[in-house]
Amino acid sequence: MTKLSVNINKIATLRNSRGGDVPNLIQVAKDIQRFGGEGITIHPRPDERHIRYQDAYDLKPIVTTEYNIEGNPIPKFVDLVLKVKPTQVTLVPDAEDAITSNAGWDTKKHKGFLQEVISEFKRNDIRTSIFVDPIVDVIEGAKETGADRIELYTEEFASEYAKGNEKAINSYVECAQKSIDLGLGVNAGHDLSLDNIKFFKENIPGLLEVSIGHALISESIYLGLENVVNMYLHRLK
Ligand code: PXP
């Protein structure tokens, strides 16, 4: 069973672009779960350009499935996560000005730091996952940090698969198997979509969870477009 956790950052981006409360983030999170979504993911960034820190608190009583908060564990983020106490925290080494996450951890170089923050989250009963590139050495380093899971950074797979290169899955398969052998759970995310998710799922052993945002929200807009255009036409008759 692979759980689908829906990343709702894009909903917050759309809301913030008008300054009001449309679309309503809380209602969207409720509806995603009502439609069967098995988790809600948010990725608050220090500049709060999409998810605001207050959103993380407001979502807490609403998320009845798995609540996953991702981000770079700077003190402000660690503090937020310890207060909100989500099901899972996913640690991502993203720069403050990064448009989106663009690399996994160097788990050997940052081992001491990761061990420290991970043990703090674990003391607070929050499951920990760290975002990694599909490199066996990095997976071995992830085990040493004490993390419960790894999240495989799937951007490279997605872009290669779109060009027809199915072999791009190989390093992910190897790293997922290595994680399982080491007792690490396997999550994955970034650029997964309706086009590539089936192939990815069918090939990756023990895939516990995927978090999907950009494509899922874009596909939702596109697949809903005909219906909504027709609803407007009907009202304008
Ligand atoms: N995982 C991490 C660590 C991310 O930063 C993101 C994007 O916020 C995702 C997964 C989801 O990526 P996408 O929006 O491309 O589905």
Side-chain angles (χ1 to χ4, degrees):
M1 276 291 289
T2 303
K3 286 191 172 171
L4 171 66
S5 185
V6 179
N7 179 318
I8 56 173
N9 278 15
K10 280 277 138 45
I11 301 295
T13 307
L14 197 56
R15 174 197 62 189
N16 297 353
S17 70
R18 272 291 173 101
D21 197 24
V22 177
N24 182 293
L25 192 77
I26 298 297
Q27 190 60 47
V28 171
K30 281 185 187 168
D31 287 338
I32 286 168
Q33 295 177 105
R34 189 163 58 84
F35 299 151
E38 295 155 313
I40 297 292
T41 291
I42 58 168
H43 191 141
R45 291 180 192 266
D47 60 7
E48 302 190 80
R49 65 178 183 267
H50 34 61
I51 291 291
R52 301 181 186 128
Y53 276 46
Q54 186 57 43
D55 293 327
Y57 293 102
D58 296 345
L59 284 162
K60 171 72 175 175
I62 301 305
V63 181
T64 53
T65 55
E66 284 211 8
Y67 192 11
N68 178 41
I69 304 186
E70 303 171 345
N72 193 331
I74 57 172
K76 196 178 160 193
F77 177 86
V78 173
D79 195 45
L80 174 79
V81 174
L82 291 175
K83 285 190 180 125
V84 174
K85 283 192 188 287
T87 322
Q88 174 176 270
V89 59
T90 300
L91 308 181
V92 186
D94 52 354
E96 256 191 52
D97 55 353
I99 293 174
T100 182
S101 309
N102 50 17
W105 287 99
D106 180 336
T107 50
K108 299 253 155 113
K109 185 170 167 195
H110 298 289
K111 180 172 145 186
F113 170 68
L114 288 168
Q115 280 175 332
E116 213 174 288
V117 283
I118 284 169
S119 64
E120 179 69 14
F121 289 132
K122 288 180 93 167
R123 264 198 298 280
N124 284 272
D125 288 328
I126 301 167
R127 192 172 73 220
T128 53
S129 177
I130 56 176
F131 194 54
V132 291
D133 290 296
I135 302 167
V136 170
D137 271 3
V138 170
I139 304 293
E140 285 168 353
K143 177 65 185 173
E144 289 169 25
T145 67
D148 301 299
R149 295 189 183 185
I150 48 107
E151 179 180 323
L152 292 168
Y153 175 35
T154 46
E155 189 277 334
E156 194 191 349
F157 156 73
S159 61
E160 288 299 311
Y161 183 78
K163 293 181 222 155
N165 177 15
E166 294 192 352
K167 289 205 173 82
I169 195 80
N170 293 349
S171 57
Y172 292 85
V173 175
E174 189 186 0
C175 285
Q177 192 53 56
K178 183 76 190 174
S179 303
I180 293 166
D181 294 345
L182 293 171
L184 289 165
V186 179
N187 296 343
H190 224 287
D191 296 294
L192 295 174
S193 71
L194 284 176
D195 290 335
N196 59 34
I197 190 67
K198 192 163 187 291
F199 180 83
F200 190 77
K201 156 72 184 168
E202 282 172 356
N203 282 279
I204 299 298
L207 183 62
L208 294 174
E209 181 182 301
V210 287
S211 68
I212 308 185
H214 184 76
L216 188 148
I217 301 302
S218 306
E219 288 153 353
S220 302
I221 292 171
Y222 200 74
L223 295 172
L225 206 50
E226 183 177 4
N227 187 30
V228 175
V229 168
N230 277 293
M231 287 170 80
Y232 275 93
L233 291 174
H234 186 71
R235 281 162 178 71
L236 289 168
K237 264 195 193 136

